[in-house]
Amino acid sequence: MAGIGLLVWPTQVFSQTNGEVQWSSPQFLGDGWWQSIAIDRQGNVHVGWYGSSDPKINEAGADVFNYTRRSLDGQWTPVNNVLYTGTGGLTIRNSLALTSDGMLHLAFRSGVYHSFASAYGLSAENVHSWSEPVAIDDTGYYLSMMADNQDVLHLVTSERLKTGVKTGITNAELNPCILCHDLFYRRSTDGGQSWSDPVPISIEPTTGSDRMDIFQGASGRIYIDWDEGLDWYIGRGNAQDVRIVYSDDDGLTWSPPIILDGGNLIDRKPIQIAAVELRDGSLMVVWRYNTDADRNIYYQLSSDIGKTWTAPQAIPGMVAQIADDTTLDDYNLIIDKIGTIHLFAVGQPDLQSTSNAALFDVAYRQGLWLPPQRIFYSNDQRPEWPKAVLGPQNDIHLSWFIRGTGRDPRTGKKLANTDILKVYYSHLPGILPLEATQVFAPTRTPFPTATVFQSLESTPTPFPTIVVVDTDTSVQTEDQYASQTLLGGLIAAAAFCAGIVIFIRMRRGG
């Protein structure tokens, strides 16, 4: 078990754009990475991530999911390892969602497949409160989940779906993307106890689908955005474009893909999309190109649900970090209660900057981008994967993780802390009156009864076991934790005995 500590950062706290509120100093939550964040109807903020501060767990090579919760009064629960997902350093990508009954739902990667578990949110720090994880698919990497305003769970994954009797889908991949992952959607109307058959969102045979997000706008419309082309995990394919689909019937049917190709230029393609619905139902997307030849961060607007778009325009005041450092990073867009859009992005003030990349909040209000506000900066640690949720006072809760960069950008000297991986949190207070807290709705089914809190060190029994799926995948994944943090390069994969040799490149983070 690890405690929560406040990081007093050796730089000033930057004021918010209206000069009335400030981002809190970055707060260290725990060792690890690939965090997710969600907020319930009572204003409790839930944060989970892959990693452990327990030396015994690290020495054992166990893959665990960490959890902590911030109550409305700002108090945090102790960090605890609440789910064991396997052994061997296979990345626990994860996504949290909350329903009105107070249940906390988690979709996560366990080994090389995706799984699902739930706990009552107000006791989720207790390992015994979690349901036994169940497998959803048997081969995948990215995933994103949300609960809509009717408590339906929506899950989108990148996976290789085998042909099945139920779906009849055959998604055999071809060169240059053999064994790449495609995009599939599932929904659950009973809190994750059962899931619909997978619905193909993108199953093109020569491209992969990466870095997806699913969200619901104020209109009730549900959106999925993603990068199409390169499959980072498999190491095949090439960046092609960014895409959006939407559903007006709660995920039962989906629109054809809305494709944004960034001008269809030969030497550069858009990647790293984020999207948000404006108060009038318009759409905004943000993306960057996959090359350092153009490091602007672009935005586009559509007032007709993606039929037409404004020309790409660069967001002023910052540029993207170099392309090699953004391979697994993501942008995040949210809109607050008064219509201000916030972009959370890692970048630099300009192309001439020699400083390390920083985490910025860039606000868009009344048709104008305001000056970027820096939230986190370190000379030798790079922020990554910003994820934010909106609170009941129009406040914003933001989480991200940092990793060692390898070299001091000022001196160029090699650093010894390239394996640093830490999760942080910051809060932007709101200026609206506090809304009345809402009681949790009755649960549809009984949730696990919380027992007296025990740390894993004192728990005599192993973690809950995971329902194992019998896979027949041809790829032997090697996304081990040590390889991700220390090697950060391409890893050779397994050879086929039938005379076909496929090399799978791995980079840090997977």
Side-chain angles (χ1 to χ4, degrees):
M1 182 178 73
I4 296 288
L6 178 65
L7 175 70
V8 180
W9 205 247
T11 58
Q12 72 182 88
V13 178
F14 290 80
S15 63
Q16 175 56 10
T17 54
N18 58 16
E20 298 176 4
V21 290
Q22 296 178 324
W23 281 97
S24 66
S25 296
Q27 184 172 347
F28 169 65
L29 296 185
D31 294 330
W33 55 354
W34 304 125
Q35 85 299 336
S36 56
I37 186 170
I39 189 168
D40 64 32
R41 63 193 297 170
Q42 293 187 354
N44 302 296
V45 177
H46 306 255
V47 185
W49 64 91
Y50 168 29
S52 175
S53 300
D54 187 335
K56 294 181 181 179
I57 291 177
N58 291 332
E59 290 173 7
D63 302 332
V64 294
F65 179 76
N66 273 359
Y67 169 83
T68 185
R69 180 177 67 257
R70 179 189 187 272
S71 61
L72 189 60
D73 63 5
Q75 299 300 309
W76 290 87
T77 62
V79 174
N80 196 22
N81 308 301
V82 296
L83 281 175
Y84 164 76
T85 69
T87 301
L90 294 163
T91 305
I92 308 173
R93 289 283 190 161
N94 54 86
S95 186
L96 290 168
L98 283 135
T99 43
S100 64
D101 54 8
M103 291 297 290
L104 179 65
H105 306 281
L106 172 67
F108 62 100
R109 188 169 178 258
S110 50
V112 297
Y113 49 93
H114 294 131
S115 295
F116 176 86
S118 296
Y120 184 52
L122 297 186
S123 61
E125 72 276 15
N126 190 326
V127 63
H128 302 290
S129 288
W130 286 84
S131 64
E132 184 174 356
V134 294
I136 293 176
D137 64 65
D138 62 5
T139 305
Y141 187 64
Y142 281 104
L143 77 167
S144 181
M145 183 176 66
M146 58 154 279
D148 69 17
N149 53 14
Q150 300 298 317
D151 283 346
V152 176
L153 295 175
H154 304 265
L155 174 65
V156 59
T157 61
S158 63
E159 60 181 278
R160 284 197 309 278
L161 187 71
K162 297 189 295 294
T163 301
V165 176
K166 289 184 178 181
T167 63
I169 300 169
T170 302
N171 58 316
E173 297 292 322
L174 307 174
N175 274 326
C177 220
I178 291 177
L179 299 179
C180 286
H181 295 94
D182 290 318
L183 210 60
F184 293 90
Y185 163 84
R186 296 169 175 85
R187 70 198 298 268
S188 173
T189 59
D190 56 11
Q193 296 181 70
S194 62
W195 293 87
S196 66
D197 291 335
V199 175
I201 299 296
S202 177
I203 53 171
E204 296 192 10
T206 59
T207 60
S209 302
D210 262 9
R211 224 167 351 200
M212 75 290 295
D213 289 294
I214 187 168
F215 65 95
Q216 184 175 36
S219 67
R221 186 173 294 121
I222 297 173
Y223 302 88
I224 300 172
D225 63 64
W226 75 97
D227 293 5
E228 185 71 20
L230 174 68
D231 184 321
W232 175 87
Y233 186 73
I234 297 301
R236 290 179 174 270
N238 299 288
Q240 178 173 292
D241 50 55
V242 291
R243 301 186 177 193
I244 304 172
V245 294
Y246 64 87
S247 174
D248 282 322
D249 55 11
D250 206 38
L252 296 177
T253 60
W254 292 89
S255 71
I258 301 166
I259 299 174
L260 296 161
D261 61 14
N264 197 27
L265 305 174
I266 296 177
D267 65 336
R268 64 198 70 176
K269 301 297 181 182
I271 59 170
Q272 204 171 330
I273 186 176
V276 69
E277 185 186 84
L278 281 62
R279 289 165 63 89
D280 64 358
S282 299
L283 282 176
M284 173 187 282
V285 295
V286 167
W287 49 265
R288 66 158 297 175
Y289 284 115
N290 66 328
T291 171
D292 290 337
D294 185 345
R295 285 172 54 195
N296 287 310
I297 302 174
Y298 289 95
Y299 77 101
Q300 294 180 261
L301 296 165
S302 173
S303 59
D304 51 14
I305 323 178
K307 295 183 178 65
T308 60
W309 293 87
T310 60
Q313 298 184 65
I315 296 173
M318 69 175 297
V319 295
Q321 58 183 323
I322 63 174
D324 283 347
D325 290 339
T326 194
T327 313
L328 289 165
D329 198 13
D330 201 13
Y331 296 138
N332 191 199
L333 284 171
I334 67 169
I335 185 167
D336 69 15
K337 297 176 184 295
I338 61 175
T340 298
I341 294 173
H342 292 263
L343 166 65
F344 298 100
V346 176
Q348 293 172 289
D350 52 59
L351 294 174
Q352 289 71 45
S353 176
T354 59
S355 62
N356 193 18
L359 174 58
F360 292 93
D361 169 16
V362 196
Y364 180 85
R365 184 181 300 138
Q366 297 179 340
L368 296 174
W369 288 98
L370 303 179
Q373 304 299 308
R374 193 171 71 175
I375 299 172
F376 179 97
Y377 176 79
S378 169
N379 287 328
D380 58 0
Q381 297 164 13
R382 187 178 69 247
E384 196 164 338
W385 201 251
K387 297 297 174 183
V389 292
L390 190 67
Q393 285 184 280
N394 207 39
D395 51 328
I396 299 176
H397 304 268
L398 177 68
S399 65
W400 68 95
F401 75 87
I402 60 98
R403 69 168 91 212
T405 58
R407 292 185 180 276
D408 187 325
R410 298 169 302 177
T411 65
K413 292 183 178 179
K414 190 173 182 179
L415 301 169
N417 63 348
T418 55
D419 58 342
I420 288 177
L421 293 168
K422 296 181 181 297
V423 176
Y424 284 92
Y425 163 89
S426 188
H427 177 231
L428 181 69
I431 58 175
L432 297 182
L434 179 64
E435 295 177 348
T437 57
Q438 303 179 61
V439 298
F440 293 135
T443 54
R444 283 180 292 258
T445 56
F447 46 81
T449 301
T451 58
V452 177
F453 174 80
Q454 295 180 352
S455 71
L456 294 182
E457 291 182 356
S458 62
T459 302
T461 56
F463 294 86
T465 56
I466 295 174
V467 179
V468 178
V469 174
D470 183 16
T471 76
D472 62 357
T473 176
S474 302
V475 179
Q476 302 298 314
T477 58
E478 294 189 43
D479 55 337
Q480 276 70 29
Y481 184 86
S483 299
Q484 297 159 343
T485 58
L486 299 178
L487 300 180
L490 306 178
I491 301 175
F496 290 156
C497 297
I500 302 175
V501 179
I502 297 179
F503 292 94
I504 301 175
R505 298 173 297 161
M506 296 292 166
R507 300 179 180 86
R508 58 187 181 279

